[in-house]
Amino acid sequence: MQGKSVRRLLVVAALVLGAMLVLASPGRLWAAVQGAGDIAGTLTGATSANGDQVPQLRTGWMTVQLLGGLALFLYGMDHLAGALRVLAGSKLRLFLGKMTRNRFVAVISGAVITALLQSSSVTTVLVVGFVSAGLMTLAQSIAVIMGANIGSTLTAQIIAFQIDAIAPVLIAAGFAAMFFIPIERWAQMGRAVLGLGLLFFGMGMMGDAMEPLRHYDPFITAMAQMTNPVLGIAIAALFTALVQSSAATTGIVIVLAGQGLLGLDAGIALIFGANIGTCVTALLGTIGKNRDALRTAVAHVFFNVFGVLIWLPFIPFLADIVRDITPNYSGTGKADIAREIANAHSIFNILNVVLMIGFVPIMARLIKRLVPERKDAQAIADMRPKYLNNDMVHTPAAALAMMKQEVLHMGEIVRAMAKQGHHCLVQHDPRHLQGIAEQDDGVDALQEAIVAYAVRLRHEDAAPTDRARLEELVAVANNLEAIGDIVSKELVELLTRLSRLGREPDNETTDALLGLYRDAETALQASLRALEDEDGARAEALIAGKAAFSARLDQLQLAIAEKVGNSAEDVKLYRLEISVIERIHRLFTRTRRIARNTLHLAQNKAGLSGLAARDRTDDAA
């Protein structure tokens, strides 16, 4: 289990234990909750208000069973979400690429991504990262967040099935697929089924733990206080904020409702509170980010809170709509309260998007006024990482998109250094040469940050295509770092020695060197453009240019050799000129390697597109 889930479970355990202590304390605590007179007795062996003996409850066993059910529920959610992230890695990248088209496509993308990730909080954190990196506007991020709220309703719909009776079958089938089928895709599908089984098994355990409370009058009286929707919203918002999982809140609400301990109106209020509490994760994700990221989190809060305020007076009306559209259990005439709560969750979020999608530009302008730019804000140095976001590491497809942007950022710095190196071939200004050398420290720091980020990603579950992309991007960063060293260290050192020699290459040789260097520099710029677009055709053209470039190198080396005089200074000049040619050759070679990495990325992307097309064909069939 990941660290985040462990923290969730610890918080949940503390809350449940605290609640049990309250339940086990003297009757005055119950009186304070109920606003009624004193209740004599304790949880075990208490007496109700009408004088009937309250059944004894095994509080210790109930606590263990409830905590065990919660642990299995959260662990199952982690397995399900992790498997879906791997299975949907390619599709997730396609949807991430579509998020910036328009607000309607952004809503759909946000809904699909959240359904794939099984967490609106994760989607919101991803959006905060994209906005912080300047890859998405505030208006686009608001639309994605709206879609994320819709996508989160899928979790409630899954939980509402309450098929804990077949949970052992799902667990066994998922385990068998994970450990006995060597095909990665089938193993991940097995992991998803296993997670689903654990989720339902945990739900069943929690239901069994709470079942005795159906006959415990003090608890029933306390739950009656949940008819106050404001109180229900506040409790659910606080609980969700503490455990950072609206799914956990939804699961507990459905369990309570399934045991008959919670009515539909109270369940809707608690779902409203879960929608507000889940905003805390996004707010925490803005720590250390820029104002745009904070605006995105504020937009999340604004949308969710405003949506709750709109529907708060109409909870009974929403409950009536849900009762009308939700079928009863077949042949029993009994209401499916769990399904009703899940449907209320879906209707609430969908209608909120329908009502507010037209006001996204207005919301964006309002939030910019509420969260203005800092007057003393200073630009972040170009040499520092701009796009790497640790919050995205658990979602490899999104993390790779940010990592690619950071590699391109590093490439622009290296390209600028190469351009300055071209200038130094003409004028050997010591101060200019020193300036290029100093920039290499920033390039090294960027490469180190990218590699460290890649190391973290390697420990995450990812699709094979994502792992292949990761290695290609690391290779590009390594090649860029090598180019930076060639220009800032080796070439600068040679030009410095040439300046100290007191002799310059003749005009013909200088023009030839400048021409070769210019071609290598142009190839570097073209390779970065090909990388940005993942243009395989352009990359292949760069790779094919090796023969022509090598022929020019050989021709220039031969021409220089024919001009060597007999003096020691002539020999030193020749050696320096040949060394400069060799550095230009290495610069071009590294550029071709970047083009080859780009070609592999393009083939990876083409494979994903082909896979998506085959999936669409299969779906149509």
Side-chain angles (χ1 to χ4, degrees):
M1 184 184 300
Q2 295 175 353
K4 184 177 180 181
S5 294
V6 174
R7 292 194 298 271
R8 287 180 186 169
L9 183 57
L10 291 175
V11 173
V12 171
L15 290 173
V16 174
L17 287 174
M20 288 299 178
L21 288 174
V22 170
L23 290 173
S25 61
R28 286 190 295 273
L29 291 176
W30 276 114
V33 174
Q34 299 177 74
D38 290 342
I39 297 178
T42 62
L43 180 60
T44 56
T47 303
S48 64
N50 58 12
D52 296 334
Q53 186 70 22
V54 177
Q56 290 189 349
L57 300 179
R58 300 169 61 192
T59 57
W61 174 245
M62 287 175 60
T63 302
V64 171
Q65 198 171 13
L66 185 60
L67 289 177
L70 278 169
L72 287 174
F73 176 86
L74 292 173
Y75 189 62
M77 282 293 295
D78 269 351
H79 266 282
L80 177 61
L84 289 177
R85 277 198 296 268
V86 176
L87 290 170
S90 58
K91 296 181 179 64
L92 180 59
R93 195 178 317 122
L94 294 176
F95 278 104
L96 287 171
K98 295 177 181 178
M99 286 198 304
T100 59
R101 289 188 179 179
N102 60 61
R103 75 185 74 163
F104 300 102
V105 175
V107 168
I108 296 173
S109 299
V112 173
I113 290 171
T114 303
L116 294 175
L117 298 179
Q118 285 293 292
S119 174
S120 61
S121 297
V122 173
T123 303
T124 306
V125 169
L126 296 182
V127 171
V128 168
F130 281 125
V131 173
S132 177
L135 302 177
M136 184 183 295
T137 66
L138 178 60
Q140 290 165 342
S141 70
I142 294 173
V144 176
I145 288 170
M146 288 180 172
N149 278 20
I150 294 176
S152 67
T153 64
L154 178 64
T155 304
Q157 294 291 346
I158 292 173
I159 294 173
F161 279 112
Q162 292 185 304
I163 53 175
D164 51 283
I166 66 168
V169 177
L170 296 176
I171 293 172
F175 179 85
M178 282 181 65
F179 289 93
F180 299 112
I181 299 181
I183 302 173
E184 173 68 16
R185 186 172 181 83
W186 280 95
Q188 290 298 336
M189 290 174 65
R191 183 185 175 195
V193 172
L194 174 65
L196 196 62
L198 290 172
L199 185 153
F200 285 123
F201 194 79
M203 292 283 293
M205 285 185 64
M206 288 191 288
D208 292 341
M210 293 182 178
E211 196 275 337
L213 296 175
R214 297 173 59 185
H215 310 290
Y216 188 68
D217 287 345
F219 187 84
I220 295 172
T221 306
M223 293 305 297
Q225 300 296 317
M226 299 303 292
T227 55
N228 182 343
V230 175
L231 177 62
I233 290 171
I235 292 174
L238 177 61
F239 183 82
T240 304
L242 288 173
V243 301
Q244 293 188 40
S245 173
S246 59
T249 305
T250 302
I252 292 174
V253 169
I254 289 177
V255 167
L256 289 171
Q259 292 294 342
L261 299 170
L262 198 65
L264 178 57
D265 289 30
I268 291 174
L270 290 171
I271 293 297
F272 284 3
N275 267 39
I276 294 176
T278 195
C279 299
V280 172
T281 303
L283 289 171
L284 292 175
T286 64
I287 297 175
K289 306 295 191 306
N290 57 25
R291 302 295 278 181
D292 284 332
L294 178 59
R295 287 168 179 164
T296 303
V298 170
H300 190 202
V301 175
F302 180 87
F303 175 69
N304 284 18
V305 172
F306 192 67
V308 169
L309 292 177
I310 290 175
W311 284 98
L312 183 58
F314 302 104
I315 287 180
F317 175 70
L318 178 60
D320 290 338
I321 294 177
V322 170
R323 291 188 184 98
D324 290 339
I325 67 172
T326 304
N328 296 330
Y329 288 124
S330 58
T332 66
K334 182 182 177 183
D336 185 351
I337 183 68
R339 182 61 57 192
E340 287 177 348
I341 290 176
N343 289 344
H345 191 204
S346 299
I347 292 171
F348 162 69
N349 283 292
I350 292 171
L351 289 181
N352 273 345
V353 172
V354 172
L355 289 172
M356 288 189 263
I357 186 66
F359 299 97
V360 166
I362 297 175
M363 291 172 61
R365 288 196 294 269
L366 176 61
I367 290 168
K368 285 182 179 179
R369 290 186 179 182
L370 292 174
V371 187
E373 290 287 352
R374 290 196 184 107
K375 294 181 180 180
D376 58 344
Q378 296 181 353
I380 299 176
D382 287 340
M383 294 293 183
R384 294 173 55 185
K386 293 172 61 177
Y387 302 104
L388 301 181
N389 188 325
N390 290 327
D391 295 328
M392 295 190 178
V393 169
H394 301 306
T395 311
L400 285 170
M402 303 300 287
M403 183 175 167
K404 177 184 172 183
Q405 292 300 317
E406 196 65 66
V407 171
L408 288 170
H409 171 221
M410 179 181 177
E412 286 303 309
I413 297 173
V414 172
R415 188 188 64 81
M417 291 171 60
K419 187 175 182 179
Q420 294 174 38
H422 179 271
H423 175 74
C424 289
L425 279 174
V426 181
Q427 296 180 354
H428 311 320
D429 186 344
R431 291 175 299 178
H432 202 170
L433 293 172
Q434 182 62 28
I436 297 177
E438 291 174 353
Q439 292 182 55
D440 186 60
D441 292 337
V443 172
D444 290 344
L446 275 176
Q447 191 246 4
E448 183 178 349
I450 291 169
V451 171
Y453 197 71
V455 168
R456 293 194 60 187
L457 275 174
R458 287 192 182 102
H459 290 86
E460 296 293 324
D461 290 325
T465 51
D466 285 338
R467 292 196 178 279
R469 290 179 65 83
L470 173 65
E471 298 309 323
E472 296 298 339
L473 289 173
V474 170
V476 172
N478 292 339
N479 286 319
L480 287 172
E481 192 273 338
I483 291 174
D485 284 344
I486 291 169
V487 175
S488 65
K489 294 179 180 177
E490 300 177 25
L491 193 57
V492 165
E493 180 185 356
L494 289 172
L495 294 177
T496 302
R497 289 168 57 188
L498 190 61
S499 177
R500 291 173 181 170
L501 183 62
R503 291 187 58 181
E504 299 286 341
D506 59 45
N507 292 336
E508 184 180 357
T509 302
T510 299
D511 290 342
L513 286 172
L514 288 173
L516 278 176
Y517 190 92
R518 188 183 300 110
D519 289 346
E521 181 192 348
T522 301
L524 174 60
Q525 187 172 359
S527 69
L528 292 174
R529 286 201 301 268
L531 174 64
E532 183 175 10
D533 301 331
E534 296 189 18
D535 187 339
R538 182 180 292 174
E540 285 183 327
L542 288 169
I543 295 170
K546 175 184 178 181
F549 192 85
S550 297
R552 292 178 59 195
L553 281 172
D554 293 341
Q555 185 179 2
L556 179 57
Q557 287 178 333
L558 182 59
I560 292 174
E562 293 176 349
K563 298 178 183 179
V564 180
N566 295 323
S567 67
E569 287 76 11
D570 289 336
V571 174
K572 289 181 181 179
L573 178 60
Y574 167 77
R575 292 179 60 190
L576 288 173
E577 289 172 341
I578 292 298
S579 296
V580 169
I581 292 174
E582 196 272 334
R583 297 317 186 273
I584 296 174
H585 185 199
R586 288 174 55 195
L587 193 158
F588 183 80
T589 299
R590 290 287 181 175
T591 298
R592 287 183 64 253
R593 290 183 184 179
I594 293 174
R596 192 173 298 280
N597 299 137
T598 300
L599 179 60
H600 294 161
L601 288 171
Q603 292 169 345
N604 181 295
K605 183 179 179 180
L608 294 178
S609 300
L611 179 61
R614 288 195 297 273
D615 289 345
R616 287 194 295 270
T617 302
D618 293 342
D619 292 342

